[in-house]
Amino acid sequence: MVDRRSKYPKSADAGETLAIDCGLADRAAEGDRAAFEEIYRHYVNRVYGLCLRLTTDVGEAEVLTQDTFVKAWQAIAGYAGHGNLGGWLGRVAVNLWRDRFRASIRRDKLVTEMTAVLPPNRDGVIDLLTALDLERCIARLPEGSRLVFIFHDVEGYTHREIAELLNLAVGTVKAQLHRSRRLLRKMLAEDKEAAHGA
Amino acid sequence: MERNPSQNDQRDRQLERLAGQLRDTGTAPDRDLWPDIEAAIDQAEQGPGHRTPRLKRGSRLLRFAAMAAALTLMLGAGWVGIRTITEDAARPDIAGLSEVAPPSGLAVINQALDELNLALADDPENRNLSHLVLMVHKTRGNLMRRNSEKLVRD
């Protein structure tokens, strides 16, 4: 029977969260399924959000999320408290995504779309934005820009890590990141204008 | 017209702040995935004795056999899916068709995926294989969703 009282208090700071992460991970590594379910309940939104951003498909995101937690259960002994458990789970998800979709990640597409003509830069004010506005706009980005933005700005990967992950030059990653931010600023400004006009 | 760099830097910082919020809050899935995860863990923990042997790496003939098996599975599952979706409502007498793809079908699909992934590891540039993997993943997702919906209905 799962103890429904969450080990993660809402006011937990980073140190406290890390301690809880380590405690639950240790118990899960010893085969405690309830501890692992607690980890799942706490981090599923983060993992699913990442999977949905990467795949842009609800069904594929569900499968990738499921496989991430199954893999995490098998590999939780290797977590060893290095950083936030959510970040570790994110890495597990990204590795599975890379292995599964590597052949469909068209390097030529990631690079050639860089040469597409950019719309005029009409940056508007993007204050009063919500994360939900940004989520919608990320989904509309071209694949290369979307992946680089997700890995760098959302997940905190370095340029070099992204370059290795996507088999791109570091310079290309930086250019894609610049392009993605520019496109996002434009989309967000247009959405805001449309909302005001409605 | 380009805005000055400091304005863009400021907006980039706003984007980064919002992106960080996205990471921390995430997105809730439409359904609870835990039962499927627990079932998959149980299945994995049954051990290799409960699984059919893996194909030997490098066996081109067997790789193509795996592709053919996966294709057959996909077409079968897709046909059942289409029949179930389009005819269930009109013909309650065949509503049980969805049971043609029982939970054990998921294990078969998982096995096919394992073999395809092994084949893909040997031949990563093979577009046909990668396309098959994607299609089998979609079929697997659809099957899982159908099973869940059926559980809810029942």
Side-chain angles (χ1 to χ4, degrees):
Chain A
M1 188 70 179
V2 177
D3 179 1
R4 296 289 175 190
R5 288 169 301 177
S6 176
K7 306 290 184 296
Y8 293 94
K10 284 186 176 173
S11 59
D13 60 23
E16 193 178 356
T17 300
L18 183 59
I20 297 167
D21 281 351
C22 288
L24 288 172
D26 285 347
R27 283 173 47 204
E30 289 166 5
D32 185 336
R33 195 71 70 82
F36 191 66
E37 183 178 356
E38 174 88 0
I39 292 169
Y40 162 82
R41 301 275 168 216
H42 190 67
Y43 287 110
V44 63
N45 290 3
R46 175 172 174 165
V47 172
Y48 178 75
L50 170 61
C51 294
L52 189 59
R53 264 172 238 123
L54 290 174
T55 62
T56 66
D57 180 275
V58 169
E60 285 175 8
E62 285 183 359
V63 173
L64 187 56
T65 301
Q66 174 185 318
D67 292 350
T68 297
F69 279 99
V70 174
K71 183 76 179 174
W73 168 259
Q74 294 163 341
I76 192 94
Y79 160 59
H82 295 309
N84 177 282
L85 185 54
W88 181 79
L89 287 166
R91 297 270 169 168
V92 173
V94 168
N95 287 339
L96 284 173
W97 168 84
R98 180 197 56 201
D99 292 345
R100 191 161 297 167
F101 296 96
R102 65 184 162 188
S104 65
I105 302 169
R106 296 274 305 277
R107 185 181 179 282
D108 54 341
K109 192 179 167 193
L110 294 183
V111 176
T112 54
E113 71 176 16
M114 291 285 301
T115 60
V117 178
L118 279 174
N121 191 352
R122 295 172 55 239
D123 293 337
V125 181
I126 58 169
D127 55 344
L128 301 177
L129 281 175
T130 66
L132 194 60
D133 295 325
L134 181 59
E135 187 84 271
R136 278 194 291 262
C137 290
I138 290 172
R140 286 157 52 197
L141 284 174
E143 186 177 31
S145 303
R146 179 172 55 82
L147 293 176
V148 170
F149 184 83
I150 290 168
F151 286 129
H152 189 275
D153 279 13
V154 181
E155 294 299 316
Y157 284 48
T158 64
H159 293 125
R160 183 167 296 282
E161 286 174 317
I162 299 168
E164 286 172 8
L165 188 64
L166 299 177
N167 194 25
L168 296 172
V170 171
T172 306
V173 170
K174 288 180 181 176
Q176 284 280 27
L177 183 61
H178 177 74
R179 179 180 188 246
S180 66
R181 287 171 174 169
R182 186 173 164 186
L183 285 170
L184 283 170
R185 289 197 302 263
K186 177 181 178 293
M187 285 182 202
L188 291 164
E190 284 179 351
D191 283 1
K192 193 177 178 199
E193 280 174 25
H196 284 178
Chain B
M1 193 178 84
E2 286 287 340
R3 291 183 178 252
N4 70 54
S6 66
Q7 279 181 307
N8 283 343
D9 286 348
Q10 191 183 350
R11 293 192 173 89
D12 283 349
R13 280 196 294 276
Q14 282 183 288
L15 279 178
E16 280 185 69
R17 183 176 48 78
L18 282 170
Q21 284 178 22
L22 282 186
R23 180 193 58 230
D24 294 337
T25 55
T27 307
D30 294 338
R31 62 188 179 87
D32 185 6
L33 304 177
W34 178 250
D36 286 339
I37 290 169
E38 200 163 31
I41 289 172
D42 287 340
Q43 186 189 330
E45 290 191 340
Q46 282 178 348
H50 291 256
R51 296 174 60 113
T52 53
R54 283 186 176 280
L55 296 176
K56 281 185 182 175
R57 278 174 174 254
S59 167
R60 186 169 290 273
L61 184 64
L62 288 176
R63 267 189 262 154
F64 282 108
M67 286 168 59
L71 189 60
T72 307
L73 266 172
M74 280 184 316
L75 291 173
W79 180 80
V80 170
I82 291 165
R83 290 279 304 265
T84 306
I85 290 165
T86 56
E87 298 178 14
D88 269 7
R91 293 181 54 188
D93 58 306
I94 63 158
L97 247 184
S98 58
E99 289 169 7
V100 173
S104 62
L106 203 55
V108 179
I109 289 182
N110 284 340
Q111 179 70 20
L113 268 178
D114 284 350
E115 307 301 356
L116 280 168
N117 280 327
L118 274 180
L120 199 57
D122 282 349
D123 191 4
E125 300 300 318
N126 189 323
R127 288 276 166 83
N128 291 331
L129 271 176
S130 60
H131 186 61
L132 265 175
V133 170
L134 282 176
M135 291 184 71
V136 175
H137 270 295
K138 284 193 173 176
T139 303
R140 182 176 173 230
N142 290 339
L143 182 59
M144 283 169 55
R145 223 176 0 259
R146 275 211 309 279
N147 286 340
S148 300
E149 286 165 4
K150 187 171 184 301
L151 279 175
V152 170
R153 276 204 309 272
D154 293 348

